[in-house]
Amino acid sequence: MNPYVIPMSRNIKKALNPDDIKKLISFYDFEGSPKLRARDFWLLSFYCYGMNVCDILQLRNDNLDGKVLHFYRNKTKHSSRKDQKPVLVSLDERAVEIINKYRNSDIAPNCYLFPILNKEDSAKDARDKIKNFTRYINQHIKKIAIIEGIDPKISSYYARHSAATIAADSGILVDKISAMLAHSNIITTQKYLDSLPLDQARKLSDTIYSNI
């Protein structure tokens, strides 16, 4: 029997570099522009350690304590694990500004932080709204990317990989990044980080082969 096992392919993870993120930050359109709203929620995800859109939209007012967010990831909060810990996000001033710009006028503790979902929504209604808002972000962030010369494949998911990659490039240890992303193990985090960004791969190739 042939012991060789065909390895499973692994998706190449995409992340924006700091210069491209600066382009998103400095982008401006008319006041009330859907592009700006999509950009702001993309940046909020990035500033909140790559928090995904589903978790952002399900935040309630009592998840916010001053400049700290504490929440359980929707992906794991229904797990049977007894050792689950809340994710803590120390908010950057820019994240606070975005939250204050879009937050719900109803500040009751059990109301959603953002007025996208409603307490009366059924589970299906909530899922549909989250899916539609994620699509909204992706459609408009791609339009900005085309204007600014950023990877046109950008999506809301890029914010998470960008936060992880920039953290790694800044010298933050993998175990800290794993905690930041609320991963259950470091192997999952390493999958986020083990694909060399294209610009770095080019520099590496130039260094190795330029004199050959």
Side-chain angles (χ1 to χ4, degrees):
M1 180 181 293
N2 187 347
Y4 179 73
V5 177
I6 299 174
M8 294 179 65
S9 63
R10 187 179 289 173
N11 291 331
I12 297 176
K13 304 304 183 183
K14 298 290 188 177
L16 297 188
N17 61 47
D19 288 340
D20 283 341
I21 292 174
K22 289 176 183 177
K23 290 179 181 178
L24 287 180
I25 293 171
S26 62
F27 175 80
Y28 185 75
D29 204 13
F30 61 89
E31 193 61 36
S33 162
K35 293 189 189 71
L36 289 183
R37 185 171 180 241
R39 184 279 310 272
D40 287 347
F41 274 92
W42 192 98
L43 288 175
L44 180 61
S45 171
F46 172 74
Y47 292 140
C48 292
Y49 309 161
M51 186 177 181
N52 65 42
V53 176
C54 179
D55 288 330
I56 289 174
L57 297 187
Q58 295 193 79
L59 288 171
R60 297 181 186 261
N61 288 316
D62 60 2
N63 291 123
L64 178 63
D65 183 9
K67 292 185 179 180
V68 176
L69 278 175
H70 53 90
F71 66 99
Y72 291 93
R73 290 190 69 196
N74 184 69
K75 188 174 182 179
T76 60
K77 68 183 180 182
H78 299 299
S79 169
S80 59
R81 288 177 56 195
K82 297 180 180 180
D83 61 343
Q84 288 189 70
K85 296 179 180 179
V87 181
L88 299 178
V89 178
S90 177
L91 293 172
D92 182 275
E93 289 292 342
R94 291 164 292 188
V96 173
E97 184 177 343
I98 292 170
I99 289 172
N100 289 336
K101 180 177 180 180
Y102 295 101
R103 72 176 300 174
N104 203 329
S105 59
D106 189 341
I107 59 173
N110 65 335
C111 281
Y112 288 106
L113 186 61
F114 299 107
I116 311 298
L117 303 183
N118 189 287
K119 290 186 295 183
E120 286 71 38
D121 286 339
S122 66
K124 181 181 183 304
D125 288 339
R127 286 195 302 270
D128 288 345
K129 287 183 177 181
I130 291 168
K131 182 177 180 180
N132 289 338
F133 196 76
T134 302
R135 184 185 299 115
Y136 168 91
I137 292 174
N138 291 339
Q139 287 176 342
H140 291 289
I141 204 74
K142 290 178 191 298
K143 293 177 183 177
I144 297 176
I146 293 172
I147 294 170
E148 295 292 336
I150 299 170
D151 184 351
K153 296 180 181 178
I154 185 176
S155 68
S156 60
Y157 205 52
Y158 273 47
R160 187 165 178 81
H161 286 291
S162 298
T165 301
I166 292 173
D169 290 346
S170 300
I172 297 175
L173 298 178
V174 175
D175 61 333
K176 301 298 183 185
I177 298 173
S178 185
M180 177 184 90
L181 297 173
H183 284 158
S184 58
N185 58 68
I186 290 179
I187 294 175
T188 303
T189 309
Q190 289 171 332
K191 291 179 180 179
Y192 272 64
L193 304 174
D194 63 4
S195 294
L196 192 66
L198 180 57
D199 58 341
Q200 292 185 28
R202 285 171 177 159
K203 290 178 182 178
L204 190 61
S205 294
D206 288 344
T207 301
I208 295 172
Y209 306 118
S210 61
N211 295 321
I212 298 175

